[in-house]
């Protein structure tokens, strides 16, 4: 799928990389701020992340150019292929050879944790909009990381507690065998038990090699659990739900809890398959006038997809980072990623995707979490009109308390 880029376009800058050049003829008044979008551009999360996140990051850059014409910005992109070594090698090359100042996205928790360590080592900035592990603001927090959008704690708490309150007291998990899957299952177990529920069993599968979930679904059904918790994401979530419907789990009384899912997933499943599912997100295009305004600005730039919360996080994190760079001066921002993140924390956040908010000392961006229910086909009035808002969790309750995370900052 081809995604339109900014008016100036992208110029190839090596295998797997591209750079967005500054406007020609612009006075070289300040050094160039370079952003590296590291995401999935070819694998199972491609349609959920890479190209659409890139388009949203470009939107943030365009808006900053309008308000701060003296701020010069370039964008590079690369595919981490969902492999930690690929992500690590790319980011080291960016920092050491390409003068990249900040890495955006990293929609893979294992890759994200590795990138956070490198950003700290090199004193650069990591803007995590796609990595979901709450360890980024817990035991592995760094003064160089800002964790936007969501994390495993938020997702597990909002979804699992709501399901238990609604009668889903017994659970069985199908879990992707990597950092995100392990952590969100662990977090969900804690909240299920706190709410009075019980986990009857779990099974892990190799990622990303698995496409047939039949045997796993049979194990879940045999457990007698009322809720199937899907501790996976992307194409795996879509395939799991579709195959669960084919196996008739819903007809047999088993409900499905999506521990991490996006509007893009629902679009791929179709409302006939996804209707009634509940999931937690921190952004939805039709939530309010500001979110609708953002969607109207990026229409035509994101290909066939409406931005999901991960893509919106890439936009918002980039916008706030560039505001901090403009506030402190590009030269100072390039000197120290740690100082730039400190400036980001000191400035209140405000954008059309998430509204007003703040960044906590541990790097956790705070904003509300929304529990949505997927509409029935006859309730949808337009493309991507998929959600009905069920509940809102305020920022101070949505994310793990600072005192419980184990972060040593501050």
């Amino acid at each position: 799928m081809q995604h339109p880029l900014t008016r100036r376009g992208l110029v190839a800058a090596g295998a797997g990389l591209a750079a967005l050049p500054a406007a020609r003829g612009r006075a070289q008044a300040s050094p160039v701020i370079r952003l590296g979008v590291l995401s999935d551009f070819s694998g199972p999360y491609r349609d959920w992340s890479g190209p659409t996140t890139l388009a949203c990051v470009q939107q943030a850059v365009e808006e900053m150019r309008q308000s701060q014409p003296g701020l010069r910005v370039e964008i590079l992109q690369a595919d981490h292929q969902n492999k930690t070594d690929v992500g690590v090698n790319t980011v080291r090359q960016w920092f050491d050879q390409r003068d990249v100042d900040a890495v955006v996205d990293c929609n893979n928790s294992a890759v994200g944790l590795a990138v956070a360590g490198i950003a700290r080592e090199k004193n650069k900035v990591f803007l995590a909009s796609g990595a979901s592990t709450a360890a980024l603001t817990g035991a592995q927090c760094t003064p160089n990381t800002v964790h936007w959008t969501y994390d495993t704690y938020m997702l597990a708490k909002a979804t699992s507690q709501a399901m238990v309150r609604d009668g889903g007291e017994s659970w069985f998990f199908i879990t992707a065998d990597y950092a995100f899957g392990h952590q969100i299952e662990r977090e969900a177990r804690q909240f299920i038990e706190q709410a009075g529920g019980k986990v009857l069993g779990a099974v892990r599968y190799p990622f990303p090699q698995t496409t047939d979930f039949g045997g796993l679904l049979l194990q879940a059904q045999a457990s007698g659990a009322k809720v199937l918790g899907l501790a996976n994401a992307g194409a795996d979530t879509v395939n799991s739900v579709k195959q669960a419907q084919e196996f008739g789990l819903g007809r047999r009384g088993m409900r499905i809890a999506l521990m991490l899912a996006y509007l893009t997933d629902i679009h791929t499943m179709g409302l006939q398959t996804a209707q009634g599912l509940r999931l937690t997100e921190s952004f939805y295009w039709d939530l309010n006038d500001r979110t609708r305004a953002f969607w109207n600005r990026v229409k035509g730039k994101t290909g066939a997809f409406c931005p999901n919360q991960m893509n919106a996080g890439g936009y918002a994190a980039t916008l706030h980072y560039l505001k901090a760079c403009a506030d402190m001066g590009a030269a100072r921002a390039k000197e120290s990623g740690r100082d730039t993140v400190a400036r980001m924390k000191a400035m209140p956040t405000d954008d059309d995707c998430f509204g007003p908010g703040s960044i906590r000392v541990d790097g956790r961006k705070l904003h509300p979490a929304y529990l949505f229910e997927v509409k029935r086909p006859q309730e949808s009035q337009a493309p991507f009109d998929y959600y009905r808002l069920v509940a809102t969790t305020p920022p101070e309750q949505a994310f793990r308390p600072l005192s419980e995370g184990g972060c040593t900052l501050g």
Side-chain angles (χ1 to χ4, degrees):
M1 178 175 59
Q2 296 297 318
H3 282 254
L5 306 177
T6 64
R7 287 187 295 269
R8 297 183 180 90
L10 289 176
V11 177
L17 304 176
L20 181 66
R24 293 178 181 176
R26 181 174 294 167
Q28 303 295 306
S30 64
V32 177
I33 298 294
R34 291 186 174 85
L35 303 169
V37 178
L38 184 66
S39 192
D40 187 341
F41 286 90
S42 63
Y45 300 152
R46 179 188 188 279
D47 291 342
W48 290 256
S49 53
T52 308
T53 297
L54 176 62
C56 290
V57 169
Q58 291 167 346
Q59 179 66 32
V61 171
E62 288 183 9
E63 292 177 19
M64 281 302 299
R65 281 178 174 155
Q66 294 171 8
S67 64
Q68 298 286 337
L71 188 66
R72 303 168 60 230
V73 183
E74 292 181 1
I75 302 174
L76 286 75
Q77 69 178 86
D79 190 339
H80 54 53
Q81 302 175 36
N82 291 292
K83 298 177 180 178
T84 303
D85 59 338
V86 173
V88 165
N89 291 337
T90 299
V91 170
R92 286 197 179 277
Q93 180 192 29
W94 277 353
F95 289 160
D96 294 341
Q97 302 176 26
R98 305 303 302 277
D99 193 30
V100 166
D101 302 291
V103 175
V104 187
D105 196 9
C106 289
N107 63 312
N108 179 296
S109 291
V111 176
L113 289 169
V115 170
I118 301 170
R120 181 174 192 167
E121 173 192 339
K122 301 292 185 180
N123 198 15
K124 301 288 188 174
V125 174
F126 177 33
L127 306 174
S129 65
S132 54
T133 174
L136 285 167
T137 56
Q140 298 189 54
C141 70
T142 86
N144 298 73
T145 294
V146 174
H147 198 182
W148 214 279
T149 319
Y150 55 84
D151 61 29
T152 48
Y153 182 100
M154 181 200 93
L155 297 167
K157 179 180 181 181
T159 303
S160 61
Q161 288 190 340
M163 295 291 286
V164 173
R165 287 195 300 267
D166 202 26
E169 66 271 13
S170 58
W171 288 61
F172 186 94
F173 280 95
I174 293 178
T175 302
D177 192 11
Y178 69 114
F180 158 74
H182 299 172
Q183 184 163 12
I184 201 162
E185 179 194 327
R186 185 167 59 250
E187 301 271 16
R189 282 175 177 267
Q190 171 187 339
F191 292 118
I192 290 165
E193 292 169 359
Q194 287 178 359
K198 182 165 62 173
V199 177
L200 302 183
V203 61
R204 292 177 177 176
Y205 67 88
F207 172 84
Q209 293 82 18
T210 302
T211 57
D212 183 358
F213 293 89
L216 307 178
L217 292 166
L218 288 175
Q219 291 184 57
Q221 182 181 328
S223 72
K226 293 183 178 180
V227 179
L228 169 61
L230 294 180
N232 54 16
D236 286 2
T237 299
V238 173
N239 289 334
S240 300
V241 172
K242 288 183 174 180
Q243 292 174 37
Q245 186 185 59
E246 293 170 2
F247 275 76
L249 264 65
R251 294 192 302 273
R252 294 177 173 85
M254 192 173 208
R255 301 169 64 187
I256 300 176
L258 306 182
M259 306 313 298
L260 173 59
Y262 307 98
L263 186 73
T264 333
D265 297 300
I266 306 306
H267 182 72
T268 302
M269 293 178 200
L271 292 182
Q272 190 62 44
T273 298
Q275 60 184 311
L277 292 174
R278 288 192 174 188
L279 67 159
T280 298
E281 298 211 48
S282 56
F283 165 83
Y284 175 48
W285 73 270
D286 201 22
L287 188 64
N288 54 50
D289 288 342
R290 295 188 70 180
T291 57
R292 287 187 284 272
F294 169 73
W295 170 224
N296 286 330
R297 291 200 302 276
V298 298
K299 275 183 179 178
K301 302 176 182 179
T302 58
F305 293 112
C306 177
N308 59 36
Q309 62 176 343
M310 183 195 309
N311 313 140
Y315 162 85
T318 298
L319 190 67
H320 191 66
Y321 167 72
L322 293 177
K323 287 178 181 178
C325 291
D327 184 62
M328 64 193 299
R332 285 189 60 200
K334 290 183 71 68
E335 287 177 359
S336 173
R338 186 175 293 105
D339 290 348
T340 308
V341 168
R343 184 63 60 95
M344 292 177 69
K345 293 175 182 177
M347 299 168 58
T349 66
D350 193 12
D351 60 81
D352 282 350
C353 292
F354 300 90
S358 61
I359 301 173
R360 211 165 54 184
V361 65
D362 59 352
R364 177 66 261 167
K365 167 63 170 57
L366 300 178
H367 44 246
Y370 306 102
L371 181 67
F372 294 108
E373 182 173 273
V374 179
K375 292 181 176 181
R376 294 176 296 173
Q378 60 268 33
E379 295 175 320
S380 178
Q381 302 299 313
F384 302 106
D385 175 23
Y386 297 157
Y387 288 167
R388 179 176 67 84
L389 181 62
V390 175
T392 300
T393 305
E396 62 273 12
Q397 298 177 23
F399 295 95
R400 180 179 58 202
L402 180 63
S403 60
E404 297 179 9
C407 178
T408 57
L409 299 177

